[in-house]
Amino acid sequence: TAPDELTCPPATGEADPGAAPARLQHNCSGKHALFALAGQRVGCPRARLLDPGGPLQRAVLGALEEVLGPVAAVGVDGCGSPAVVLPLHRLARGFAALAVDDRFEAVRRAGFAHPGLVGGEGRLESALLGAGIVAKVGAEGVFAAGWPGTDGTGRGVAVKVADGAARAANAAMAGVLVGAEVMGTDVWCAPPPLGGGRPQGEVRAAAAVHELACRLRAEV
């Protein structure tokens, strides 16, 4: 797939913020590369790759609904692709399936082999994948993770921060997984807030997160 076939907007990459904006530098360029490849297979032209009524996105929605159940509505993500609307518990259930179902084995294997391509250096989702936990951050403070329970069935959790803050989503997810004893405290540490270029304090999960972790630990 050539860069000009991608349908995400040009962006500046984290690795080289001084470079000119390019589609390949967009955080969602991998997803849009898959859209381009899949579009070729189903005969969907580039102009309709992101069209919710087009052949590609209808196929994507159908695949999502097989795992997540009926979708209430379809919005638009920051990268321009359709974004489904559904309750958090169903997103968590989807990640539980992603963690154990045979049909997702190739996806898991790819994520575990190349965690840095899913997130990046220092990112929580990459650290979790490196520890054998499927995980992905989403837009506007969404974060979901899945792992096999002791009985071999999938377990999943999803969080959504009301104001969309990614830092809070990371802290909440890490707090839940550490409190539920799904991951150790050595897997990832939240970067401290800076003042004058130096660490000032720390980012911690709220008490409600620890209460959720206790309930989750009892189910794991």
Side-chain angles (χ1 to χ4, degrees), residues 10 13 15 48 50 57 61-62 97 100 120 132 154 170 178 184 196-197:
R48 298 200 67 194
L50 303 184
Q57 293 303 329
L61 180 60
V100 297
N170 288 335
V178 169

Side-chain angles (χ1 to χ4, degrees), residues 3-46:
D4 59 359
E5 294 178 354
L6 302 180
T7 44
C8 53
T12 301
E14 295 179 2
D16 189 5
R23 296 184 191 278
L24 270 179
Q25 297 298 325
H26 196 284
N27 187 50
C28 296
S29 60
K31 176 174 67 178
H32 286 260
L34 289 174
F35 284 162
L37 289 171
Q40 293 173 8
R41 292 201 172 188
V42 300
C44 182
R46 182 183 183 278

